[in-house]
Amino acid sequence: MPFIMSSAISGIELAQQLAQVRTEVRDLQRTVESLRHALEAAHVEKDRAVRAAETIAGQEAAQLKVAVAALRDELEHAQILREQEVQRAQAAGQDEIHQLRTTVAALRDELEYASIEQQTQVQAALAASANETAQLKATAGALREQLEMMRTRQEQTVQDERLVAEQEKQQLRDTIEAMRDAMDEGRKA
């Protein structure tokens, strides 16, 4: 008889343990379902964040393209203006050189009949024309240097803007990677 009683007690305990195990299984199934919903929500949020980041990056890229186009137009306009200035300076220089040549020819004619004092005046005029020509060349060189400096500054500005855009993209990538890592840790937990 003790064997039967022991069997009945262990049957009751077994039924209780089985009921407890079934309850734990249901709880675990609910937890799994809840985690699955949370993971799906996290995926949806991550996809939304990625789309938003792509949209922002696309807008920034479009703005940068517009800025680059505007800078390019401005640079081209500046180059045209500089070229016009150089052409005007060259034309003025050529005109002045022509006038100086005419003056030199007239002075040569006078030199044939003039005294030493007249020769000194001619030499002074030639020196003045050489200085003016040198000044015009110096001006043209300075204009070229200014144009080159403008180009360099504009190229640096474009490079700086590209660098900022690249840094912002990298920050977005880092944020996405951090979110992925957090989600992975959430899944592991």
Side-chain angles (χ1 to χ4, degrees):
M1 218 46 194
F3 176 76
I4 293 174
M5 199 158 196
S6 158
S7 173
I9 289 173
S10 82
I12 292 171
E13 287 176 2
L14 185 61
Q16 288 175 345
Q17 288 177 354
L18 184 60
Q20 185 179 6
V21 168
R22 286 182 180 156
T23 302
E24 287 179 14
V25 167
R26 276 193 304 267
D27 289 345
L28 287 174
Q29 286 174 340
R30 287 184 193 129
T31 302
V32 166
E33 187 63 28
S34 174
L35 289 173
R36 185 177 294 130
H37 287 304
L39 182 61
E40 287 174 2
H43 280 299
V44 168
E45 180 60 25
K46 179 193 76 159
D47 291 343
R48 187 200 61 73
V50 167
R51 283 193 301 275
E54 288 173 347
T55 300
I56 290 170
Q59 290 171 347
E60 289 175 356
Q63 289 173 352
L64 287 174
K65 286 178 184 177
V66 169
V68 166
L71 288 173
R72 187 179 296 126
D73 291 343
E74 189 176 326
L75 177 60
E76 288 174 359
H77 181 68
Q79 288 172 342
I80 289 170
L81 290 177
R82 294 294 177 244
E83 287 174 8
Q84 289 173 350
E85 289 176 16
V86 168
Q87 288 174 357
R88 280 193 293 268
Q90 287 175 342
Q94 290 295 331
D95 198 29
E96 191 169 346
I97 289 170
H98 177 70
Q99 291 174 3
L100 290 173
R101 286 182 180 159
T102 304
T103 303
V104 168
L107 290 174
R108 281 187 187 146
D109 291 341
E110 289 181 26
L111 279 175
E112 293 176 6
Y113 306 106
S115 65
I116 294 175
E117 183 179 287
Q118 289 173 334
Q119 290 177 0
T120 303
Q121 290 176 354
V122 168
Q123 289 175 359
L126 288 174
S129 68
N131 282 341
E132 288 178 75
T133 301
Q135 288 175 356
L136 288 173
K137 288 181 181 178
T139 300
L143 289 173
R144 284 189 196 105
E145 287 178 9
Q146 288 177 356
L147 178 60
E148 188 59 36
M149 285 174 53
M150 281 180 55
R151 286 181 190 153
T152 302
R153 276 191 234 129
Q154 288 174 345
E155 288 173 0
Q156 184 63 42
T157 300
V158 170
Q159 289 175 358
D160 290 346
E161 289 181 18
R162 285 182 182 158
L163 178 62
V164 168
E166 192 58 39
Q167 288 172 347
E168 288 176 2
K169 287 180 186 177
Q170 187 59 45
Q171 286 176 353
L172 290 173
R173 288 186 193 115
D174 292 344
T175 301
I176 290 169
E177 187 63 33
M179 290 175 70
R180 285 184 183 150
D181 291 344
M183 288 176 55
D184 288 343
E185 287 178 18
R187 281 187 231 147
K188 290 177 184 175

